[in-house]
Amino acid sequence: MKSEKEIRNCFPILTRLVNGKPLVYFDNAATTQKPEMVIDALANYYREQNANIHRGVHFLSQISTDDYEGVRKQIARFIHARTEREIVFTRGTTESINLVASSFGRQEIQEGDEIVLTTLEHHSNIVPWQINAHGAIIRTIPVTPNGELDMHKAASIINRKTRMVAIAHISNALGTILPVREIIDLAHKNGALVLVDGAQAIAHTRVDVQELDADFYCFSGHKMYAPMGIGALYGKEELLERLPPYQGGGEMIDRVSFENTTYNDIPFKFEAGTPNVGDTLALGKAISFIEAVSYEKIAAIEEELLHYATERLSAFDGVKIIGLAANKAGVISFVVDNIHPYDIGMILDKTGVAARTGHHCAQPLMDFYQLPGTVRISFAMYNTKEEVDIFIDSLKMAIDMLT
């Protein structure tokens, strides 16, 4: 198990200065920074073995194929899928949701059916279902003022007309950890399937798709210390077998003629075109890094930071934390009386503090709170209490300047 100092030293970007100040990176819900071993894996692929995979008989193609498929097996073990056939490589959570919404919607959704979302969803788990509703009604499980799902109402919203429930594992805007297993059980009792958006969960908590009994689970590499542009979709084998392809092209075919095309086996049926091999191999290294640190260590670091920052923020007059769910990850959204979040963010940046401002791709949630947006800080395993102190001092300076 790595010490906190050893963990931090693995991330080269954390040594740089921003506006002459040490970087304090609190925008981890948007994307995490990358450890040296992930950066090296990407560079080494292009330096030493770059080749297209699966169809080549030459040496570079074969070793790249073996490494690429090795990461598929690694992901299956990492999230406890039954088989690597249940792992589809995508560009990330957004493409994964679009894949399921498109394929499932085209084949399984009919007019009068219902699709259930929650008020906490990211736009990526709203818009694809609107596009692919095919006459279905989209219903929403509301939240309580403290940012928790109203499970009493969920029990009546999810019913025998529900065909799909699509939910976040953790809210990107508030950090609320949703009762995913409870929702999955409720959906399955009503004959509905469940897709879980795991983008905000995968770097922070152990995911066991069989224990959850999720039908689909998706995540993005860039939120778990891997490069941008790579992610994965888990789908139960029988569901992936049943659904039609999402895109057409090379790799996803068995045989093509101008009269008819037959499709490849899963998961390749859903992986049209030249794959993102280099970033996939780097994703494998990111998973190895997380496992080397351990989820227990990650949780301990992030929980301490969450409690410490919440306590310090709560001491400010005029600062209101939005979302105080009892079960919460390392995300804090807040507003300051009579000051726009953007102005706070600009001044924080001048002191080297990277925070996120705006609606966080969660406009329906901001509408619920009647806010244009919030300031959001979010933690990762490499953050420290000393950085929280710097943030608090910078925030105080910003409030003093703007009032």
Side-chain angles (χ1 to χ4, degrees):
M1 182 181 292
K2 295 177 182 289
S3 70
E4 292 177 32
K5 183 177 180 180
E6 288 172 328
I7 291 169
R8 189 171 175 85
N9 288 341
C10 292
F11 294 83
I13 199 171
L14 299 180
T15 62
R16 73 161 297 165
L17 300 179
V18 173
N19 294 318
K21 306 288 185 180
L23 170 64
V24 175
Y25 188 79
F26 280 174
D27 195 20
N28 295 288
T31 194
T32 53
Q33 298 302 337
K34 319 307 174 192
E36 196 82 58
M37 64 188 287
V38 168
I39 299 168
D40 289 345
L42 183 59
N44 288 340
Y45 169 74
Y46 287 109
R47 186 180 294 117
E48 298 180 4
Q49 68 182 84
N50 177 48
N52 213 326
I53 63 171
H54 289 144
R55 294 173 294 279
V57 297
H58 60 81
F59 174 77
L60 292 181
S61 179
Q62 289 181 345
I63 62 170
S64 295
T65 298
D66 289 345
D67 290 350
Y68 181 85
E69 291 302 326
V71 176
R72 196 190 304 274
K73 294 177 182 178
Q74 183 185 18
I75 293 172
R77 293 191 298 270
F78 184 58
I79 64 173
H80 196 210
R82 295 170 182 83
T83 169
E84 66 268 21
R85 285 166 51 83
E86 297 182 318
I87 305 301
V88 178
F89 286 119
T90 67
R91 288 176 296 152
T93 304
T94 298
E95 186 180 28
S96 296
I97 296 171
N98 275 276
L99 188 163
V100 176
S102 175
S103 296
F104 184 82
R106 181 155 39 108
Q107 180 163 289
E108 308 281 340
I109 297 291
Q110 299 179 358
E111 189 170 351
D113 289 339
E114 295 182 357
I115 299 167
V116 174
L117 311 176
T118 81
T119 305
L120 289 163
E121 299 312 313
H122 189 281
H123 297 166
S124 294
N125 202 24
I126 299 173
V127 179
W129 300 107
Q130 292 173 332
I131 292 172
N132 295 283
H134 300 291
I137 298 167
I138 294 178
R139 304 189 66 188
T140 308
I141 302 172
V143 295
T144 62
N146 67 352
E148 296 177 323
L149 277 193
D150 187 331
M151 291 304 294
H152 176 74
K153 290 183 179 177
S156 61
I157 290 171
I158 298 173
N159 59 64
R160 299 304 297 183
K161 292 183 180 180
T162 306
R163 300 290 288 128
M164 175 67 74
V165 179
I167 54 170
H169 195 157
I170 295 176
S171 164
N172 74 301
L174 304 183
T176 302
I177 301 174
L178 281 69
V180 171
R181 181 56 201 254
E182 186 178 348
I183 295 169
I184 291 172
D185 287 346
L186 180 59
H188 286 173
K189 287 177 183 176
N190 284 279
L193 300 181
V194 181
L195 176 142
V196 182
D197 169 358
Q200 295 297 329
I202 196 72
H204 309 287
T205 187
R206 193 179 309 280
V207 173
D208 186 325
V209 292
Q210 291 190 66
E211 184 177 306
L212 288 175
D213 199 21
D215 299 296
F216 301 99
Y217 194 100
C218 50
F219 59 88
S220 301
H222 75 96
K223 295 183 190 290
M224 55 180 295
Y225 312 104
M228 297 180 181
I230 188 64
L233 167 69
Y234 158 82
K236 289 180 177 177
E237 187 171 5
E238 64 272 19
L239 295 175
L240 294 180
E241 291 279 16
R242 191 169 90 203
L243 294 182
Y246 169 54
Q247 295 175 320
E251 184 63 38
M252 53 76 65
I253 55 89
D254 176 34
R255 189 179 188 282
V256 175
S257 72
F258 285 110
E259 292 72 37
N260 185 50
T261 294
T262 56
Y263 304 128
N264 204 343
D265 296 332
I266 63 167
F268 309 110
K269 179 174 72 171
F270 296 103
E271 296 179 355
T274 300
N276 187 352
V277 181
D279 287 340
T280 300
L281 303 192
L283 172 59
K285 292 299 183 183
I287 290 172
S288 296
F289 186 84
I290 289 171
E291 291 178 325
V293 175
S294 83
Y295 276 119
E296 291 74 20
K297 179 74 172 179
I298 292 169
I301 293 170
E302 294 175 356
E303 286 175 14
E304 182 178 23
L305 291 171
L306 174 63
H307 293 316
Y308 182 66
T310 300
E311 181 180 307
R312 294 220 57 190
L313 266 177
S314 299
F316 274 90
D317 290 334
V319 172
K320 180 181 180 182
I321 296 175
I322 308 299
L324 293 169
N327 197 15
K328 186 174 174 179
V331 175
I332 303 175
S333 272
F334 66 93
V335 292
V336 181
D337 286 349
N338 302 315
I339 302 177
H340 197 282
Y342 180 83
D343 296 332
I344 295 285
M346 288 292 291
I347 294 177
L348 290 177
D349 176 64
K350 298 300 181 185
T351 66
V353 177
R356 178 71 45 163
T357 65
H359 54 65
H360 317 300
C361 293
Q363 286 179 307
L365 181 64
M366 295 298 116
D367 290 344
F368 169 78
Y369 285 110
Q370 297 182 319
L371 295 170
T374 68
V375 182
R376 183 187 71 190
I377 58 172
S378 49
F379 305 119
M381 64 170 85
Y382 43 66
N383 292 128
T384 67
K385 291 172 72 174
E386 289 74 22
E387 289 181 315
V388 173
D389 292 336
I390 293 171
F391 157 71
I392 291 294
D393 290 343
S394 298
L395 178 62
K396 183 177 186 302
M397 181 183 73
I399 293 173
D400 290 344
M401 290 176 62
L402 294 167
T403 55

